[in-house]
Amino acid sequence: MSINVSLCSRKVGEIKNFLEKFYQKEIDLDSDVGQWTYKYNRPLEAIDIISTVIDNSYEYSIKIFIQVDDGDIHMVTSENCNDIIKALLYLYYEDWDREEV
C-alpha cells in the first residue's frame, strides 16, 4: 500500500519554506514550485506530514491532498483530518495483520 501526499500552493516559496521547516534542513527545491508530491509506503509516515500541514494552516497557505494506492484523490481539511488519520491508521493495522499471517 502507498499513500501519495501532495502539497499545493500559489504563494511563491511556500512549499519550500514549509518543507525546510518540516525536515529541519535545506531542501533542493525551486522557490516557484507550486506542487510537491511524495509517495509514502507506510501510512504512519504520511500521517506526520498531513497533521503538520493542518496544524500549521494558520501560518502556511498550503492545500494538502492524499491518494491511497490508485484510489480517489481527497483534499485534507481541518474538518476531515482526524477521520482521514483514523482511516490511515486502520489501513496500517490491516496491512500489518496481513504481514504476520
Side-chain angles (χ1 to χ4, degrees), residues 3-101:
I3 300 169
N4 289 324
V5 175
S6 298
L7 307 181
C8 302
S9 180
R10 292 184 178 167
K11 187 174 178 184
V12 175
E14 194 77 343
I15 293 174
K16 180 177 174 65
N17 291 337
F18 171 80
L19 291 173
E20 287 181 344
K21 283 193 177 180
F22 180 76
Y23 289 114
Q24 298 180 347
K25 65 179 184 177
E26 190 172 328
I27 302 294
D28 185 24
L29 189 68
D30 291 338
S31 290
D32 64 347
V33 168
Q35 181 178 347
W36 174 88
T37 301
Y38 190 82
K39 182 179 183 176
Y40 292 92
N41 291 315
R42 295 176 180 239
L44 297 180
E45 295 171 350
I47 288 171
D48 194 28
I49 195 164
I50 291 167
S51 61
T52 303
V53 169
I54 296 301
D55 288 347
N56 292 285
S57 61
Y58 65 92
E59 188 175 342
Y60 295 97
S61 179
I62 295 176
K63 295 192 184 295
I64 185 166
F65 299 87
I66 65 162
Q67 179 183 28
V68 177
D69 291 328
D70 292 325
D72 294 335
I73 297 171
H74 301 278
M75 184 169 149
V76 182
T77 65
S78 58
E79 290 80 21
N80 69 7
C81 183
N82 287 338
D83 291 334
I84 287 174
I85 288 173
K86 286 176 191 175
L88 292 175
L89 287 170
Y90 175 79
L91 290 173
Y92 169 75
Y93 286 111
E94 188 176 79
D95 260 8
W96 186 68
D97 283 345
R98 279 190 231 140
E99 289 176 7
E100 283 194 1
V101 175

